[in-house]
Amino acid sequence: MNRLIQKIFENRGYTHEFLREFDNPEYQQLKDIDVLCQKLKSIKDNNQNIVVYPDFDMDGIASGVLGYAGLSELGFNVGLYIPDPTEGYGISQQSVADLLYKYPGTNAIITCDTGIGAAEAASYCKIAGVDFLVTDHHKQEMIIQAPIIVDPMRADETYPHQICGAFVFWQVLARYAQLYCTYFEQDQIGRLKVFAGIGTVSDSMPILYENRQTVRDAISICRMIYSDGTTGMVSSIMGCDRYKLVFWGLYDFFKICEENGIISSSEDIDEEFFGWYLAPIFNSAKRMNGEMYKAFGIFFYGNTCDVNPRQEFAEYLYKLNHERKELVAKKLHEALSFDQPFAPYVYISDADPGILGLLAMKLLQKNGVPTFVLKDYGENNKPNRYSGSGRSPEWFNSITLLSNVDYLFIAGHEQAFGCGIKTATDLQRFHDWLAVLVPDMMSKLDTAEGKPDYVIDTHWQNGDIGIDITCFQGYLEEIEEYRPFGKGFEKPVGIIKFTNTDIIEWKRMGSNKQHLKLSLPGGFNILCWNQGHLIDQRDKFESHTVVGSLGQSTFKGITSINFTGEFVEQ
C-alpha cells in the first residue's frame, strides 16, 4: 500500500478488517420481496394493468425509469405516472384519483421511493379495489393499508444497510427475473442497475457495502453507453422500444454534457459526475417548478431514429439548473444580509420551497451546525406557519432526535429533510432548544472529527509527509482503486503547510486574474481557484495553509502533480 494512503487510513481509524468488509457487495433479501414478486407474476399472468408511481427527485426519477422500463421489458401492461412536485412529498388521495383518471382500468399501483407514509392514498385504493404495492426506503412511521410493503426501513425489517429507493425497486425486478424469467431477461434487468447507482449517489446513501458495487456498475454501464461519444454501443442494446429508449436518454444527456464542456471522455463519468452534475440538473425540475414530464421524458419520448426531443429536454434541464444556481446565490446573499434572530440554526427566507434545502446545505457548510431554512406563510396558514427544509451534519440524526418534538413536523432522511413549525412561539422554543442541544452534542464529538486526512509539511517536520513527487504519483494511481468515494467513505482531503521561502513564484491567473498559482521546486504547484485576491497574504504572513487534495493536470503534453484547494485566510 502506498505509504500516504496507509497514513490516511490510519488517521481515519480504518482497519484491514473494515476495508475488506465495507467492500463486500453481498446483501440480504428484503422482507416480502418474494411475496411482491408473486403478486407481480399474478398481475402479468392475468393481463392486468399496473402503474408505476415514483417520487420526483433524482432517486425517484431513477426509480420510475427503471421500474417503467423494466416492467415493460418483462412484458407487463404498465404505465408511468408523472408526479407533481407542487403537491409536496408523498402520495395524496387526490394524486391517486388523478392517476386513476389518466389510467382507467388500473388494477395495481406500485410506488417507488415513496408511499410508506401514504395512509390516505392506501385506504382510497382499497376502497377503489386497486392494489397499492409499496416499494420505498424511508422510515415507516405509521401503519398503512397496503397489502405488500418492501422497504429496508419497514418497522419489522432487519435489512442492515441504507439503500436508495431505486436500488429497492431494482432488487424487486432482479428477484422477479431470477424467479420467473430467462437468462436474457435477467441480463436486461441487470443493465437497469445503472439507475440504482445513480439514485444511490444522488440520494446521498453511504458508499459502503452493496452500494459500492452498485455505483461501480452504474459508472461502467454509463461509460459503455457514452463510449467514445458515438452511438455505436447504445445502438447495439436490444429489448423492447421502451427499454432501449432509457439508454438512448442517458446517451443524449451525456451529449448535452459534452457540448457544455462537462465531459470530454467516458472517464469523466464517475460518482462525482453523478453527484455534482447529473443529479442537480435533473433535480432542477422540482426545485424550479419546471416541467416534470421533461425530466422523465428524456428517457421515454421520441424513438431511436428520426424523432428525438430528448436532447431538447436535456438542454432545457441544463439551462434550468443554471438558473437554479444563480437563484440560490441570490437567496443565500439575502439570507445572510437580513437580520436572522434564530441563526445559525434557523433562517427565514422568502425563496421558493424547492430552493430552501439548497440554502440549508450552503448554510450548513458555512456554520457546521444543523440548519433549518423556513418560509413564513403567515399566522393563518395551517397546519404550520413555517415550512421548509433542513440539513444536518453526520453527527446530528435529525429524524431520530426531532421526531418526538410535538410542535415540529419532520420527514425525510436523517441529514436531509422537510420540516414545519406551527407558530412563532414554537419557533422561538425550537431555537432555544437547539441552542442548548447542539453545543452540548458538539462538545462530546470525537476530537478526530473535522481533522484533515493527511498533512503535507514542506519542511518535513509537523506533518505526515513532505513534498515527495514519487509518493504522490503512486498515491494518485493507487487511490483510484478505492473508488467510488462518497458518504461514509469520502475522498481524502488534506492540508499543505508552507512558508514564503518554499515558493518560487506567486502568480495570479485567469482572464480576470481570479485564480492563484504557487510554484514550488520540482514542478509542484499549489492551485487556488477564485482566490487570486489572497496573493496579499504573501506580504502579511510568513507561514500559510491550503486545504484541498492532490491531483494532476496535463498541459501541452506535460503532466504535473499539484495540490488544489482553498487558501486559509489569516
Side-chain angles (χ1 to χ4, degrees):
M1 183 183 293
N2 175 273
R3 61 191 177 94
L4 181 56
I5 294 178
Q6 184 175 3
K7 189 63 181 178
I8 290 169
F9 289 168
E10 287 177 1
N11 290 342
R12 290 186 177 186
Y14 292 170
T15 64
H16 291 292
E17 290 74 18
F18 170 76
L19 291 172
R20 282 196 300 270
E21 178 187 352
F22 92 117
D23 214 28
N24 183 356
E26 297 179 1
Y27 54 88
Q28 75 178 45
Q29 188 167 293
L30 290 157
K31 284 186 182 296
D32 286 344
I33 193 170
D34 282 357
V35 177
L36 178 54
C37 290
Q38 292 166 11
K39 178 63 179 177
L40 290 173
K41 183 69 162 58
S42 175
I43 290 171
K44 182 174 183 293
D45 289 348
N46 289 289
N47 203 33
Q48 293 181 327
N49 301 313
I50 185 170
V51 178
V52 175
Y53 192 125
D55 196 9
F56 45 73
D57 63 1
M58 186 64 244
D59 185 23
I61 294 170
S63 304
V65 167
L66 76 86
Y68 187 41
L71 291 173
S72 296
E73 181 66 8
L74 295 175
F76 283 77
N77 298 325
V78 57
L80 175 66
Y81 182 75
I82 307 298
D84 183 357
T86 62
E87 294 185 1
Y89 284 101
I91 302 176
S92 66
Q93 178 178 319
Q94 179 181 350
S95 62
V96 170
D98 183 56
L99 180 153
L100 296 178
Y101 172 77
K102 292 176 178 176
Y103 289 97
T106 295
N107 303 107
I109 296 170
I110 185 165
T111 75
C112 44
D113 191 34
T114 187
I116 195 64
E120 291 184 0
S123 299
Y124 180 79
C125 283
K126 185 175 183 179
I127 296 171
V130 174
D131 287 319
F132 190 72
L133 311 174
V134 174
T135 77
D136 201 347
H137 73 129
H138 296 93
K139 185 176 181 180
Q140 184 175 17
E141 302 285 358
M142 63 184 73
I143 302 298
I144 64 172
Q145 297 186 53
I148 305 172
I149 298 173
V150 175
D151 185 333
M153 296 291 285
R154 202 176 83 177
D156 61 341
E157 178 63 86
T158 60
Y159 197 91
H161 304 142
Q162 294 182 54
I163 57 176
C164 72
F167 194 17
V168 173
F169 203 176
W170 181 83
Q171 287 191 34
V172 171
L173 295 181
R175 181 61 175 164
Y176 179 94
Q178 183 183 35
L179 290 171
Y180 305 116
C181 300
T182 66
Y183 288 128
F184 172 76
E185 290 169 315
Q186 291 175 32
D187 286 343
Q188 294 292 86
I189 298 303
R191 190 178 292 113
L192 289 172
K193 196 177 184 183
V194 61
F195 294 101
I198 290 171
T200 297
V201 175
S202 66
D203 224 35
S204 298
M205 293 293 103
I207 308 300
L208 302 171
Y209 310 110
E210 63 268 39
N211 287 339
R212 293 185 61 74
Q213 190 59 48
T214 300
V215 175
R216 287 193 186 110
D217 290 345
I219 293 169
S220 296
I221 295 168
C222 285
R223 289 177 175 178
M224 179 273 293
I225 291 168
Y226 178 72
S227 188
D228 59 354
T230 64
T231 62
M233 291 301 295
V234 68
S235 61
S236 68
I237 294 176
M238 296 183 291
C240 70
D241 287 345
R242 193 173 287 161
Y243 177 87
K244 290 188 291 185
L245 275 176
V246 301
F247 299 103
W248 277 98
L250 280 173
Y251 175 81
D252 290 331
F253 177 78
F254 296 151
K255 294 299 287 185
I256 291 298
C257 291
E258 176 192 276
E259 291 174 12
N260 287 280
I262 295 174
I263 60 175
S264 58
S265 73
S266 61
E267 295 301 308
D268 294 328
I269 301 174
D270 55 21
E271 70 275 21
E272 292 181 348
F273 170 78
F274 290 164
W276 287 101
Y277 296 103
L278 189 151
I281 288 173
F282 276 89
N283 281 334
S284 65
K286 66 158 186 170
R287 298 192 186 282
M288 299 292 288
N289 296 321
E291 298 174 87
M292 204 70 216
Y293 79 92
K294 291 185 177 180
F296 284 93
I298 289 174
F299 302 104
F300 295 116
Y301 275 60
N303 55 44
T304 61
C305 301
D306 54 337
V307 180
N308 179 16
R310 298 182 302 276
Q311 287 189 349
E312 174 192 334
F313 291 174
E315 185 66 34
Y316 164 79
L317 290 180
Y318 180 85
K319 291 179 179 178
L320 195 63
N321 187 54
H322 181 72
E323 295 174 12
R324 186 270 308 168
K325 289 190 285 188
E326 291 183 337
L327 183 58
V328 168
K330 175 185 176 183
K331 292 300 180 181
L332 179 62
H333 175 74
E334 290 178 0
L336 294 173
S337 299
F338 299 154
D339 180 41
Q340 296 285 355
F342 306 114
Y345 308 113
V346 180
Y347 290 80
I348 304 300
S349 172
D350 65 353
D352 288 339
I355 299 298
L356 298 179
L358 297 175
L359 294 176
M361 176 57 70
K362 294 285 187 182
L363 292 164
L364 167 62
Q365 292 168 349
K366 173 181 172 59
N367 299 321
V369 297
T371 305
F372 301 75
V373 181
L374 307 175
K375 188 168 184 175
D376 185 351
Y377 288 90
E379 294 182 0
N380 296 325
N381 191 64
K382 303 295 183 183
N384 297 304
R385 172 175 176 175
Y386 303 93
S387 183
S389 296
R391 299 291 185 269
S392 61
E394 291 297 314
W395 49 266
F396 193 95
N397 290 326
S398 297
I399 301 297
T400 300
L401 290 168
L402 305 177
S403 58
N404 291 326
V405 178
D406 59 4
Y407 54 82
L408 175 74
F409 163 80
I410 186 167
H413 301 298
E414 295 284 8
Q415 276 71 47
F417 45 85
C419 51
I421 294 177
K422 295 179 179 179
T423 67
T425 301
D426 292 332
L427 180 60
Q428 182 68 59
R429 291 169 60 197
F430 184 55
H431 166 266
D432 294 345
W433 184 61
L434 288 174
V436 174
L437 175 66
V438 174
D440 180 63
M441 292 184 65
M442 292 180 72
S443 69
K444 299 174 183 176
L445 289 176
D446 186 338
T447 55
E449 295 219 18
K451 287 189 175 181
D453 291 311
Y454 59 91
V455 178
I456 302 172
D457 185 340
T458 56
H459 295 270
W460 293 78
Q461 293 177 346
N462 298 311
D464 297 312
I465 195 172
I467 303 296
D468 187 333
I469 301 299
T470 302
C471 180
F472 293 166
Q473 180 66 52
Y475 164 81
L476 291 172
E477 293 173 358
E478 191 171 326
I479 198 66
E480 290 298 307
E481 299 174 11
Y482 292 92
R483 283 187 178 272
F485 298 116
K487 182 180 178 181
F489 189 67
E490 287 78 8
K491 186 176 181 180
V493 174
I495 66 173
I496 183 168
K497 297 179 177 180
F498 57 95
T499 65
N500 286 341
T501 57
D502 299 317
I503 307 301
I504 297 174
E505 181 184 26
W506 295 65
K507 182 180 179 181
R508 297 185 67 167
M509 304 186 305
S511 57
N512 297 313
K513 304 296 182 182
Q514 70 271 35
H515 308 310
L516 183 61
K517 176 182 178 181
L518 311 179
S519 301
L520 285 80
F524 185 78
N525 300 313
I526 301 172
L527 306 174
C528 302
W529 306 124
N530 299 308
Q531 289 193 299
H533 63 285
L534 294 181
I535 195 169
D536 61 1
Q537 297 275 310
R538 169 191 57 187
D539 303 318
K540 294 180 179 180
F541 306 98
E542 176 60 26
S543 300
H544 312 277
T545 300
V546 172
V547 179
S549 58
L550 286 162
Q552 62 183 18
S553 57
T554 302
F555 181 68
K556 294 184 177 179
I558 299 175
T559 299
S560 59
I561 306 297
N562 53 54
F563 188 92
T564 303
E566 295 186 8
F567 217 103
V568 178
E569 297 187 56
Q570 302 184 56

